[in-house]
Amino acid sequence: MWGGRFAGGPSAVMREINASIPFDKALWRHDITASQAHVAMLEAQGIVSADDAAAIRDGLRRIADEYEANGVPEDWSLEDIHMTVEHRLAELIGLAAGRLHTARSRNDQVATDLRLWVRDATDRALAGVRALQDALLDQTERHADTIMPGFTHLQIAQPLTLGHHLLAYVEMLERDRSRFADARTRADECPLGAAALAGTGFPIDRHATAQALGFSRPMRNSMDAVSDRDFVLDYLQAAAQCALHLSRLAEEFVLWASQPFGFVTLPDALSTGSSIMPQKRNPDAAELVRGHCGRIVGCLTSLMVTMKGLPLAYSKDMQDDKPPVFEAAGLLDLSLAAMAGMVAGSSFRADRMRAAAEQGFATATDLADWLVREAGLPFREAHHVTGALVRMAEDAGIALADLPLERMQACDPRIHAGVYAVLSVEASVARRTSYGGTAPEEVRRQLAAARARLDETG
Ligand code: ARG
């Protein structure tokens, strides 16, 4: 396609290092879509005749059918998906194929194709995050009253409701959706028609191609149009942060599914066995989601480092933008699907969670608060007295609620029998009705609000 200027052909190494077809064939649908929009515009502008435009359109449709049926052929000498399509078009329709590349370059072509691809990936991510949020909300509804221990430093801190814990992830994921939506808005400009870097002398209509491809407008600067990969980085940044949230959720499931916790039974469909230990039931899917986060962050890093130091406009380094974004999107799609399945299909063991919440003197804060409220102690003093009572219970090997009143009063005479009312885990969560708190009643309010908000934003 560009051989006119050369006496000899490229070496085998040149061909191999240059070839992007092994991976950019994934762009074939978007490449053909963009070419259809381009040829329609060339015809409308009188740059290509109606007959040639019809032949090109028809040829592109046949190529799409071929690729749909048999995949994209991989010929390294054709370098990339753009030349592969054009070469096949020439085989099918002859010389008219050569008119398709009028007033465009592979530089604006690849930028356009990839934008279309990333836009689709963003829509998939938005839908995948939403599906996971729905699964979390359904479990929240089931477990608004289910008591579990809440941790700080992975030490039992205060009793929680499981619904409250799950709602925390709904919030993280809501920020992810907003990041993806934001990335999509910023990517909503079309590079096509920027040509190699400087624009073109042909009387093209960039607004028409932008509109035909579903973009709000053409990119304003042709140099920026061919050299910008912010739209890929925006997607990858959103993907990395989302993957990070999925990894944290996955880690909770790994912990909760281990026998000492025993909080959850993962769905069979998302567990694996061991080839040697027959009793094993491993949370491989959750572990892989946790692992995939590292790879997705690596994809982001990879492209950031590729882009740093590139002068305007296009450089071939930018061909390396595709493997990381394809990899990251594939991993993210899978991770979202795995976590949605895991959340929806897990059965939580309320008995085990409640028993764990009873351990670790989780209601000690309630006791201190009671001393402030009912016995008039300053909080610091209440904290100190409660600490002594915890030590007493720990030495005796009993729960706070099982300390006899006389022993408590020996510690502080202002304590009376009313204290026992606040020492149960149920009482502890029920009291935490502050905005965003863990009380079942407040969790139900948050759940309804989250559902309303999600329905509103789609
Ligand atoms: N395969 C190339 C890429 O992915 C297409 C653009 C090639 N442009 C060029 N001037 N060689 O970036």
Side-chain angles (χ1 to χ4, degrees), residues 46-123:
I47 300 167
V48 166
S49 73
D51 284 350
D52 284 345
I56 291 170
R57 264 198 295 275
D58 186 54
L60 289 172
R61 265 194 298 272
R62 284 168 64 188
I63 295 172
D65 290 343
E66 286 178 12
Y67 290 176
E68 194 73 70
N70 307 316
V72 182
E74 241 183 74
D75 176 350
W76 286 0
S77 67
L78 292 173
E79 292 187 21
D80 56 27
I81 185 62
H82 325 294
M83 305 249 263
T84 300
V85 171
E86 196 181 322
H87 176 80
R88 181 64 185 143
L89 188 64
E91 287 178 345
L92 290 173
I93 70 167
L95 279 179
R99 300 196 185 276
L100 172 60
H101 212 53
T102 312
R104 85 175 179 191
S105 144
R106 276 187 291 159
N107 298 349
D108 58 333
Q109 194 181 355
V110 73
T112 305
D113 294 359
L114 191 57
R115 255 176 208 261
L116 292 170
W117 193 94
V118 169
R119 193 170 70 182
D120 286 352
T122 308
D123 288 342

Side-chain angles (χ1 to χ4, degrees), residues 162-395:
L162 174 58
H164 187 230
H165 194 130
L166 298 177
L167 282 176
Y169 283 93
V170 174
E171 293 296 322
M172 293 180 224
L173 294 166
E174 192 58 12
R175 291 191 291 274
D176 290 327
R177 283 208 309 146
S178 127
R179 264 182 289 274
F180 280 117
D182 191 44
R184 200 187 189 294
T185 307
R186 227 176 289 119
D188 188 22
E189 299 183 329
C190 185
L192 194 59
L197 74 169
T200 174
F202 289 102
I204 59 170
D205 183 351
R206 290 193 57 207
H207 293 272
T209 42
Q211 196 186 8
L213 293 171
F215 292 103
S216 289
R217 59 190 162 273
M219 290 185 78
R220 287 181 289 265
N221 180 293
S222 63
M223 297 277 286
D224 182 45
V226 291
S227 63
D228 167 55
R229 292 296 182 270
D230 287 1
F231 66 99
V232 187
L233 289 171
D234 278 350
Y235 169 83
L236 285 172
Q237 280 163 6
Q241 196 145 348
C242 181
L244 189 152
H245 293 148
L246 299 183
S247 178
R248 295 183 73 178
L249 180 60
E251 167 63 8
E252 307 253 30
F253 275 93
V254 171
L255 278 176
W256 292 351
S258 78
Q259 288 81 357
F261 275 81
F263 288 1
V264 73
T265 306
L266 299 182
D268 282 357
L270 288 166
S271 306
T272 50
S274 156
S275 55
I276 175 168
M277 296 166 284
Q279 86 285 9
K280 286 301 282 291
R281 199 185 152 77
N282 292 329
D284 291 33
E287 294 164 86
L288 285 164
V289 168
R290 201 173 54 187
H292 287 355
C293 175
R295 288 173 65 190
I296 292 171
V297 171
C299 291
L300 167 63
T301 308
S302 158
L303 185 56
M304 294 218 285
V305 178
T306 296
M307 294 307 292
K308 88 168 268 298
L310 290 189
L312 296 184
Y314 179 87
S315 294
K316 199 60 173 262
D317 316 42
M318 291 166 72
Q319 178 164 284
D320 282 342
D321 57 0
K322 284 169 255 348
V325 69
F326 292 168
E327 179 182 0
L331 294 173
L332 183 70
D333 291 347
L334 261 177
S335 299
L336 283 166
M339 291 317 294
M342 199 169 312
V343 169
S346 283
S347 41
F348 291 96
R349 301 187 50 195
D351 54 330
R352 298 272 314 187
M353 289 189 161
R354 195 186 179 295
E358 297 279 0
Q359 291 160 21
F361 312 104
T363 56
T365 313
D366 299 273
L367 173 50
D369 287 350
W370 183 88
L371 289 169
V372 170
R373 235 180 14 249
E374 303 292 325
L377 276 66
F379 183 76
R380 276 293 148 230
E381 192 187 350
H383 186 285
H384 188 80
V385 169
T386 305
L389 290 170
V390 165
R391 186 145 37 85
M392 192 182 275
E394 190 172 42
D395 290 345

